[in-house]
mmCIF file with all atom_site columns, all heavy atoms in Angstrom:
data_model
loop_
_atom_site.group_PDB
_atom_site.id
_atom_site.type_symbol
_atom_site.label_atom_id
_atom_site.label_alt_id
_atom_site.label_comp_id
_atom_site.label_asym_id
_atom_site.label_entity_id
_atom_site.label_seq_id
_atom_site.pdbx_PDB_ins_code
_atom_site.Cartn_x
_atom_site.Cartn_y
_atom_site.Cartn_z
_atom_site.occupancy
_atom_site.B_iso_or_equiv
_atom_site.pdbx_formal_charge
_atom_site.auth_seq_id
_atom_site.auth_comp_id
_atom_site.auth_asym_id
_atom_site.auth_atom_id
_atom_site.pdbx_PDB_model_num
ATOM 1   N N   . LEU A 1 122 ? -2.007 -10.508 -1.931  1.00 0.00 ? 122 LEU A N   1
ATOM 2   C CA  . LEU A 1 122 ? -1.491 -9.149  -1.642  1.00 0.00 ? 122 LEU A CA  1
ATOM 3   C C   . LEU A 1 122 ? -1.452 -8.456  -3.023  1.00 0.00 ? 122 LEU A C   1
ATOM 4   O O   . LEU A 1 122 ? -0.903 -8.857  -3.960  1.00 0.00 ? 122 LEU A O   1
ATOM 5   C CB  . LEU A 1 122 ? -0.021 -9.170  -1.093  1.00 0.00 ? 122 LEU A CB  1
ATOM 6   C CG  . LEU A 1 122 ? 0.644  -7.937  -0.822  1.00 0.00 ? 122 LEU A CG  1
ATOM 7   C CD1 . LEU A 1 122 ? -0.042 -7.050  0.155   1.00 0.00 ? 122 LEU A CD1 1
ATOM 8   C CD2 . LEU A 1 122 ? 1.985  -8.219  -0.217  1.00 0.00 ? 122 LEU A CD2 1
ATOM 9   N N   . SER A 1 123 ? -2.392 -7.403  -3.115  1.00 0.00 ? 123 SER A N   1
ATOM 10  C CA  . SER A 1 123 ? -2.517 -6.588  -4.250  1.00 0.00 ? 123 SER A CA  1
ATOM 11  C C   . SER A 1 123 ? -1.959 -5.199  -4.276  1.00 0.00 ? 123 SER A C   1
ATOM 12  O O   . SER A 1 123 ? -2.110 -4.456  -3.092  1.00 0.00 ? 123 SER A O   1
ATOM 13  C CB  . SER A 1 123 ? -3.995 -6.519  -4.620  1.00 0.00 ? 123 SER A CB  1
ATOM 14  O OG  . SER A 1 123 ? -4.481 -7.890  -4.670  1.00 0.00 ? 123 SER A OG  1
ATOM 15  N N   . THR A 1 124 ? -1.457 -4.597  -5.265  1.00 0.00 ? 124 THR A N   1
ATOM 16  C CA  . THR A 1 124 ? -1.086 -3.332  -5.227  1.00 0.00 ? 124 THR A CA  1
ATOM 17  C C   . THR A 1 124 ? -1.334 -2.601  -6.497  1.00 0.00 ? 124 THR A C   1
ATOM 18  O O   . THR A 1 124 ? -1.695 -3.271  -7.664  1.00 0.00 ? 124 THR A O   1
ATOM 19  C CB  . THR A 1 124 ? 0.508  -3.179  -5.226  1.00 0.00 ? 124 THR A CB  1
ATOM 20  O OG1 . THR A 1 124 ? 1.192  -3.763  -6.219  1.00 0.00 ? 124 THR A OG1 1
ATOM 21  C CG2 . THR A 1 124 ? 1.174  -3.949  -3.896  1.00 0.00 ? 124 THR A CG2 1
ATOM 22  N N   . SER A 1 125 ? -1.542 -1.214  -6.390  1.00 0.00 ? 125 SER A N   1
ATOM 23  C CA  . SER A 1 125 ? -1.759 -0.507  -7.654  1.00 0.00 ? 125 SER A CA  1
ATOM 24  C C   . SER A 1 125 ? -1.223 0.980   -7.468  1.00 0.00 ? 125 SER A C   1
ATOM 25  O O   . SER A 1 125 ? -1.390 1.480   -6.222  1.00 0.00 ? 125 SER A O   1
ATOM 26  C CB  . SER A 1 125 ? -3.209 -0.382  -8.000  1.00 0.00 ? 125 SER A CB  1
ATOM 27  O OG  . SER A 1 125 ? -3.963 0.320   -7.139  1.00 0.00 ? 125 SER A OG  1
ATOM 28  N N   . THR A 1 126 ? -0.823 1.585   -8.443  1.00 0.00 ? 126 THR A N   1
ATOM 29  C CA  . THR A 1 126 ? -0.287 2.956   -8.429  1.00 0.00 ? 126 THR A CA  1
ATOM 30  C C   . THR A 1 126 ? -0.738 3.615   -9.658  1.00 0.00 ? 126 THR A C   1
ATOM 31  O O   . THR A 1 126 ? -0.212 3.281   -10.705 1.00 0.00 ? 126 THR A O   1
ATOM 32  C CB  . THR A 1 126 ? 1.281  3.006   -8.266  1.00 0.00 ? 126 THR A CB  1
ATOM 33  O OG1 . THR A 1 126 ? 1.803  2.542   -9.559  1.00 0.00 ? 126 THR A OG1 1
ATOM 34  C CG2 . THR A 1 126 ? 1.642  2.485   -7.086  1.00 0.00 ? 126 THR A CG2 1
ATOM 35  N N   . SER A 1 127 ? -1.719 4.477   -9.737  1.00 0.00 ? 127 SER A N   1
ATOM 36  C CA  . SER A 1 127 ? -2.254 5.088   -10.796 1.00 0.00 ? 127 SER A CA  1
ATOM 37  C C   . SER A 1 127 ? -1.347 6.257   -11.255 1.00 0.00 ? 127 SER A C   1
ATOM 38  O O   . SER A 1 127 ? -1.886 7.360   -11.519 1.00 0.00 ? 127 SER A O   1
ATOM 39  C CB  . SER A 1 127 ? -3.749 5.464   -10.742 1.00 0.00 ? 127 SER A CB  1
ATOM 40  O OG  . SER A 1 127 ? -3.775 6.226   -9.570  1.00 0.00 ? 127 SER A OG  1
ATOM 41  N N   . ILE A 1 128 ? 0.071  6.036   -11.249 1.00 0.00 ? 128 ILE A N   1
ATOM 42  C CA  . ILE A 1 128 ? 0.964  7.010   -11.563 1.00 0.00 ? 128 ILE A CA  1
ATOM 43  C C   . ILE A 1 128 ? 1.992  6.453   -12.556 1.00 0.00 ? 128 ILE A C   1
ATOM 44  O O   . ILE A 1 128 ? 2.345  5.272   -12.432 1.00 0.00 ? 128 ILE A O   1
ATOM 45  C CB  . ILE A 1 128 ? 1.704  7.431   -10.387 1.00 0.00 ? 128 ILE A CB  1
ATOM 46  C CG1 . ILE A 1 128 ? 0.748  7.826   -9.278  1.00 0.00 ? 128 ILE A CG1 1
ATOM 47  C CG2 . ILE A 1 128 ? 2.706  8.512   -10.615 1.00 0.00 ? 128 ILE A CG2 1
ATOM 48  C CD1 . ILE A 1 128 ? 1.369  8.263   -7.858  1.00 0.00 ? 128 ILE A CD1 1
ATOM 49  N N   . PRO A 1 129 ? 2.340  7.187   -13.719 1.00 0.00 ? 129 PRO A N   1
ATOM 50  C CA  . PRO A 1 129 ? 3.310  6.538   -14.612 1.00 0.00 ? 129 PRO A CA  1
ATOM 51  C C   . PRO A 1 129 ? 4.556  6.185   -13.898 1.00 0.00 ? 129 PRO A C   1
ATOM 52  O O   . PRO A 1 129 ? 5.068  6.900   -12.864 1.00 0.00 ? 129 PRO A O   1
ATOM 53  C CB  . PRO A 1 129 ? 3.562  7.715   -15.521 1.00 0.00 ? 129 PRO A CB  1
ATOM 54  C CG  . PRO A 1 129 ? 2.322  8.606   -15.521 1.00 0.00 ? 129 PRO A CG  1
ATOM 55  C CD  . PRO A 1 129 ? 1.901  8.518   -14.157 1.00 0.00 ? 129 PRO A CD  1
ATOM 56  N N   . GLN A 1 130 ? 5.357  5.196   -14.390 1.00 0.00 ? 130 GLN A N   1
ATOM 57  C CA  . GLN A 1 130 ? 6.549  4.942   -13.879 1.00 0.00 ? 130 GLN A CA  1
ATOM 58  C C   . GLN A 1 130 ? 7.592  5.860   -14.011 1.00 0.00 ? 130 GLN A C   1
ATOM 59  O O   . GLN A 1 130 ? 7.535  6.657   -15.031 1.00 0.00 ? 130 GLN A O   1
ATOM 60  C CB  . GLN A 1 130 ? 7.057  3.550   -14.507 1.00 0.00 ? 130 GLN A CB  1
ATOM 61  C CG  . GLN A 1 130 ? 8.235  2.872   -13.742 1.00 0.00 ? 130 GLN A CG  1
ATOM 62  C CD  . GLN A 1 130 ? 8.476  1.551   -14.370 1.00 0.00 ? 130 GLN A CD  1
ATOM 63  O OE1 . GLN A 1 130 ? 8.123  1.179   -15.439 1.00 0.00 ? 130 GLN A OE1 1
ATOM 64  N NE2 . GLN A 1 130 ? 9.299  0.821   -13.571 1.00 0.00 ? 130 GLN A NE2 1
ATOM 65  N N   . GLY A 1 131 ? 8.622  6.118   -13.143 1.00 0.00 ? 131 GLY A N   1
ATOM 66  C CA  . GLY A 1 131 ? 9.612  7.158   -13.216 1.00 0.00 ? 131 GLY A CA  1
ATOM 67  C C   . GLY A 1 131 ? 8.895  8.537   -13.031 1.00 0.00 ? 131 GLY A C   1
ATOM 68  O O   . GLY A 1 131 ? 9.476  9.494   -13.662 1.00 0.00 ? 131 GLY A O   1
ATOM 69  N N   . SER A 1 132 ? 7.999  8.606   -12.187 1.00 0.00 ? 132 SER A N   1
ATOM 70  C CA  . SER A 1 132 ? 7.269  9.819   -12.160 1.00 0.00 ? 132 SER A CA  1
ATOM 71  C C   . SER A 1 132 ? 7.933  11.054  -11.163 1.00 0.00 ? 132 SER A C   1
ATOM 72  O O   . SER A 1 132 ? 7.664  12.035  -11.368 1.00 0.00 ? 132 SER A O   1
ATOM 73  C CB  . SER A 1 132 ? 5.854  9.661   -11.366 1.00 0.00 ? 132 SER A CB  1
ATOM 74  O OG  . SER A 1 132 ? 6.093  9.201   -10.019 1.00 0.00 ? 132 SER A OG  1
ATOM 75  N N   . GLY A 1 133 ? 8.887  10.553  -10.484 1.00 0.00 ? 133 GLY A N   1
ATOM 76  C CA  . GLY A 1 133 ? 9.474  11.493  -9.428  1.00 0.00 ? 133 GLY A CA  1
ATOM 77  C C   . GLY A 1 133 ? 8.659  11.846  -8.239  1.00 0.00 ? 133 GLY A C   1
ATOM 78  O O   . GLY A 1 133 ? 8.919  12.817  -7.530  1.00 0.00 ? 133 GLY A O   1
ATOM 79  N N   . LEU A 1 134 ? 7.522  11.082  -8.032  1.00 0.00 ? 134 LEU A N   1
ATOM 80  C CA  . LEU A 1 134 ? 6.595  11.438  -6.929  1.00 0.00 ? 134 LEU A CA  1
ATOM 81  C C   . LEU A 1 134 ? 6.736  10.358  -5.694  1.00 0.00 ? 134 LEU A C   1
ATOM 82  O O   . LEU A 1 134 ? 5.927  10.423  -4.844  1.00 0.00 ? 134 LEU A O   1
ATOM 83  C CB  . LEU A 1 134 ? 5.109  11.389  -7.434  1.00 0.00 ? 134 LEU A CB  1
ATOM 84  C CG  . LEU A 1 134 ? 4.740  12.287  -8.603  1.00 0.00 ? 134 LEU A CG  1
ATOM 85  C CD1 . LEU A 1 134 ? 3.215  12.246  -8.965  1.00 0.00 ? 134 LEU A CD1 1
ATOM 86  C CD2 . LEU A 1 134 ? 5.181  13.748  -8.273  1.00 0.00 ? 134 LEU A CD2 1
ATOM 87  N N   . GLY A 1 135 ? 7.858  9.695   -5.841  1.00 0.00 ? 135 GLY A N   1
ATOM 88  C CA  . GLY A 1 135 ? 8.286  8.934   -4.560  1.00 0.00 ? 135 GLY A CA  1
ATOM 89  C C   . GLY A 1 135 ? 7.336  7.660   -4.383  1.00 0.00 ? 135 GLY A C   1
ATOM 90  O O   . GLY A 1 135 ? 7.259  7.148   -3.380  1.00 0.00 ? 135 GLY A O   1
ATOM 91  N N   . THR A 1 136 ? 6.865  7.237   -5.647  1.00 0.00 ? 136 THR A N   1
ATOM 92  C CA  . THR A 1 136 ? 5.914  6.077   -5.670  1.00 0.00 ? 136 THR A CA  1
ATOM 93  C C   . THR A 1 136 ? 6.368  4.864   -4.956  1.00 0.00 ? 136 THR A C   1
ATOM 94  O O   . THR A 1 136 ? 5.642  4.178   -4.208  1.00 0.00 ? 136 THR A O   1
ATOM 95  C CB  . THR A 1 136 ? 5.508  5.862   -7.115  1.00 0.00 ? 136 THR A CB  1
ATOM 96  O OG1 . THR A 1 136 ? 5.053  7.011   -7.766  1.00 0.00 ? 136 THR A OG1 1
ATOM 97  C CG2 . THR A 1 136 ? 4.292  4.776   -7.148  1.00 0.00 ? 136 THR A CG2 1
ATOM 98  N N   . SER A 1 137 ? 7.630  4.379   -5.311  1.00 0.00 ? 137 SER A N   1
ATOM 99  C CA  . SER A 1 137 ? 8.112  3.078   -4.733  1.00 0.00 ? 137 SER A CA  1
ATOM 100 C C   . SER A 1 137 ? 8.250  3.152   -3.304  1.00 0.00 ? 137 SER A C   1
ATOM 101 O O   . SER A 1 137 ? 7.760  2.202   -2.686  1.00 0.00 ? 137 SER A O   1
ATOM 102 C CB  . SER A 1 137 ? 9.446  2.785   -5.381  1.00 0.00 ? 137 SER A CB  1
ATOM 103 O OG  . SER A 1 137 ? 10.007 1.523   -4.887  1.00 0.00 ? 137 SER A OG  1
ATOM 104 N N   . SER A 1 138 ? 8.871  4.049   -2.714  1.00 0.00 ? 138 SER A N   1
ATOM 105 C CA  . SER A 1 138 ? 8.922  4.180   -1.356  1.00 0.00 ? 138 SER A CA  1
ATOM 106 C C   . SER A 1 138 ? 7.519  4.221   -0.549  1.00 0.00 ? 138 SER A C   1
ATOM 107 O O   . SER A 1 138 ? 7.348  3.618   0.486   1.00 0.00 ? 138 SER A O   1
ATOM 108 C CB  . SER A 1 138 ? 9.683  5.339   -0.893  1.00 0.00 ? 138 SER A CB  1
ATOM 109 O OG  . SER A 1 138 ? 11.130 5.302   -1.321  1.00 0.00 ? 138 SER A OG  1
ATOM 110 N N   . ILE A 1 139 ? 6.582  4.967   -1.157  1.00 0.00 ? 139 ILE A N   1
ATOM 111 C CA  . ILE A 1 139 ? 5.312  5.252   -0.595  1.00 0.00 ? 139 ILE A CA  1
ATOM 112 C C   . ILE A 1 139 ? 4.601  3.957   -0.583  1.00 0.00 ? 139 ILE A C   1
ATOM 113 O O   . ILE A 1 139 ? 3.922  3.510   0.392   1.00 0.00 ? 139 ILE A O   1
ATOM 114 C CB  . ILE A 1 139 ? 4.537  6.288   -1.174  1.00 0.00 ? 139 ILE A CB  1
ATOM 115 C CG1 . ILE A 1 139 ? 5.483  7.634   -1.009  1.00 0.00 ? 139 ILE A CG1 1
ATOM 116 C CG2 . ILE A 1 139 ? 3.149  6.484   -0.597  1.00 0.00 ? 139 ILE A CG2 1
ATOM 117 C CD1 . ILE A 1 139 ? 4.817  8.828   -1.814  1.00 0.00 ? 139 ILE A CD1 1
ATOM 118 N N   . LEU A 1 140 ? 4.696  3.278   -1.780  1.00 0.00 ? 140 LEU A N   1
ATOM 119 C CA  . LEU A 1 140 ? 4.002  1.937   -1.915  1.00 0.00 ? 140 LEU A CA  1
ATOM 120 C C   . LEU A 1 140 ? 4.609  0.883   -0.942  1.00 0.00 ? 140 LEU A C   1
ATOM 121 O O   . LEU A 1 140 ? 3.806  0.111   -0.303  1.00 0.00 ? 140 LEU A O   1
ATOM 122 C CB  . LEU A 1 140 ? 4.246  1.385   -3.405  1.00 0.00 ? 140 LEU A CB  1
ATOM 123 C CG  . LEU A 1 140 ? 3.622  0.064   -3.670  1.00 0.00 ? 140 LEU A CG  1
ATOM 124 C CD1 . LEU A 1 140 ? 2.081  -0.025  -3.443  1.00 0.00 ? 140 LEU A CD1 1
ATOM 125 C CD2 . LEU A 1 140 ? 3.892  -0.451  -5.052  1.00 0.00 ? 140 LEU A CD2 1
ATOM 126 N N   . ALA A 1 141 ? 5.976  0.825   -0.690  1.00 0.00 ? 141 ALA A N   1
ATOM 127 C CA  . ALA A 1 141 ? 6.495  0.049   0.423   1.00 0.00 ? 141 ALA A CA  1
ATOM 128 C C   . ALA A 1 141 ? 5.978  0.203   1.613   1.00 0.00 ? 141 ALA A C   1
ATOM 129 O O   . ALA A 1 141 ? 5.508  -0.669  2.310   1.00 0.00 ? 141 ALA A O   1
ATOM 130 C CB  . ALA A 1 141 ? 8.017  0.300   0.424   1.00 0.00 ? 141 ALA A CB  1
ATOM 131 N N   . GLY A 1 142 ? 5.678  1.678   1.975   1.00 0.00 ? 142 GLY A N   1
ATOM 132 C CA  . GLY A 1 142 ? 5.010  1.822   3.302   1.00 0.00 ? 142 GLY A CA  1
ATOM 133 C C   . GLY A 1 142 ? 3.700  1.373   3.297   1.00 0.00 ? 142 GLY A C   1
ATOM 134 O O   . GLY A 1 142 ? 3.110  0.936   4.357   1.00 0.00 ? 142 GLY A O   1
ATOM 135 N N   . ALA A 1 143 ? 2.823  1.520   2.241   1.00 0.00 ? 143 ALA A N   1
ATOM 136 C CA  . ALA A 1 143 ? 1.464  1.145   2.186   1.00 0.00 ? 143 ALA A CA  1
ATOM 137 C C   . ALA A 1 143 ? 1.392  -0.444  2.299   1.00 0.00 ? 143 ALA A C   1
ATOM 138 O O   . ALA A 1 143 ? 0.547  -0.903  3.051   1.00 0.00 ? 143 ALA A O   1
ATOM 139 C CB  . ALA A 1 143 ? 0.882  1.512   0.814   1.00 0.00 ? 143 ALA A CB  1
ATOM 140 N N   . ILE A 1 144 ? 2.298  -1.178  1.753   1.00 0.00 ? 144 ILE A N   1
ATOM 141 C CA  . ILE A 1 144 ? 2.258  -2.620  1.803   1.00 0.00 ? 144 ILE A CA  1
ATOM 142 C C   . ILE A 1 144 ? 2.697  -2.941  3.279   1.00 0.00 ? 144 ILE A C   1
ATOM 143 O O   . ILE A 1 144 ? 1.850  -3.890  3.918   1.00 0.00 ? 144 ILE A O   1
ATOM 144 C CB  . ILE A 1 144 ? 3.275  -3.242  0.882   1.00 0.00 ? 144 ILE A CB  1
ATOM 145 C CG1 . ILE A 1 144 ? 2.897  -3.004  -0.655  1.00 0.00 ? 144 ILE A CG1 1
ATOM 146 C CG2 . ILE A 1 144 ? 3.601  -4.808  1.157   1.00 0.00 ? 144 ILE A CG2 1
ATOM 147 C CD1 . ILE A 1 144 ? 4.006  -3.423  -1.487  1.00 0.00 ? 144 ILE A CD1 1
ATOM 148 N N   . LEU A 1 145 ? 3.639  -2.379  3.934   1.00 0.00 ? 145 LEU A N   1
ATOM 149 C CA  . LEU A 1 145 ? 3.943  -2.806  5.205   1.00 0.00 ? 145 LEU A CA  1
ATOM 150 C C   . LEU A 1 145 ? 2.812  -2.426  6.189   1.00 0.00 ? 145 LEU A C   1
ATOM 151 O O   . LEU A 1 145 ? 2.537  -3.224  7.071   1.00 0.00 ? 145 LEU A O   1
ATOM 152 C CB  . LEU A 1 145 ? 5.163  -2.002  5.566   1.00 0.00 ? 145 LEU A CB  1
ATOM 153 C CG  . LEU A 1 145 ? 6.476  -2.422  4.945   1.00 0.00 ? 145 LEU A CG  1
ATOM 154 C CD1 . LEU A 1 145 ? 7.730  -1.409  4.962   1.00 0.00 ? 145 LEU A CD1 1
ATOM 155 C CD2 . LEU A 1 145 ? 7.000  -3.849  5.628   1.00 0.00 ? 145 LEU A CD2 1
ATOM 156 N N   . GLN A 1 146 ? 2.179  -1.252  5.980   1.00 0.00 ? 146 GLN A N   1
ATOM 157 C CA  . GLN A 1 146 ? 1.043  -0.824  6.911   1.00 0.00 ? 146 GLN A CA  1
ATOM 158 C C   . GLN A 1 146 ? -0.147 -1.704  6.758   1.00 0.00 ? 146 GLN A C   1
ATOM 159 O O   . GLN A 1 146 ? -0.771 -2.192  7.718   1.00 0.00 ? 146 GLN A O   1
ATOM 160 C CB  . GLN A 1 146 ? 0.653  0.638   6.584   1.00 0.00 ? 146 GLN A CB  1
ATOM 161 C CG  . GLN A 1 146 ? -0.317 1.057   7.526   1.00 0.00 ? 146 GLN A CG  1
ATOM 162 C CD  . GLN A 1 146 ? 0.014  1.315   8.931   1.00 0.00 ? 146 GLN A CD  1
ATOM 163 O OE1 . GLN A 1 146 ? 1.052  2.084   9.197   1.00 0.00 ? 146 GLN A OE1 1
ATOM 164 N NE2 . GLN A 1 146 ? -0.629 0.653   9.951   1.00 0.00 ? 146 GLN A NE2 1
ATOM 165 N N   . CYS A 1 147 ? -0.335 -2.221  5.509   1.00 0.00 ? 147 CYS A N   1
ATOM 166 C CA  . CYS A 1 147 ? -1.483 -3.028  5.166   1.00 0.00 ? 147 CYS A CA  1
ATOM 167 C C   . CYS A 1 147 ? -1.227 -4.414  5.857   1.00 0.00 ? 147 CYS A C   1
ATOM 168 O O   . CYS A 1 147 ? -2.222 -4.960  6.555   1.00 0.00 ? 147 CYS A O   1
ATOM 169 C CB  . CYS A 1 147 ? -1.565 -3.266  3.619   1.00 0.00 ? 147 CYS A CB  1
ATOM 170 S SG  . CYS A 1 147 ? -2.960 -4.058  3.074   1.00 0.00 ? 147 CYS A SG  1
ATOM 171 N N   . LEU A 1 148 ? -0.090 -4.989  5.757   1.00 0.00 ? 148 LEU A N   1
ATOM 172 C CA  . LEU A 1 148 ? 0.208  -6.311  6.394   1.00 0.00 ? 148 LEU A CA  1
ATOM 173 C C   . LEU A 1 148 ? 0.123  -6.232  7.941   1.00 0.00 ? 148 LEU A C   1
ATOM 174 O O   . LEU A 1 148 ? -0.305 -7.146  8.619   1.00 0.00 ? 148 LEU A O   1
ATOM 175 C CB  . LEU A 1 148 ? 1.528  -6.891  5.917   1.00 0.00 ? 148 LEU A CB  1
ATOM 176 C CG  . LEU A 1 148 ? 1.544  -7.262  4.472   1.00 0.00 ? 148 LEU A CG  1
ATOM 177 C CD1 . LEU A 1 148 ? 3.015  -7.574  3.947   1.00 0.00 ? 148 LEU A CD1 1
ATOM 178 C CD2 . LEU A 1 148 ? 0.575  -8.476  4.206   1.00 0.00 ? 148 LEU A CD2 1
#
Side-chain angles (χ1 to χ4, degrees):
L122 181 56
S123 306
T124 60
S125 71
T126 62
S127 51
I128 304 174
Q130 195 172 12
S132 66
L134 301 183
T136 308
S137 178
S138 299
I139 300 167
L140 178 60
I144 292 170
L145 289 162
Q146 183 69 61
C147 189
L148 290 170

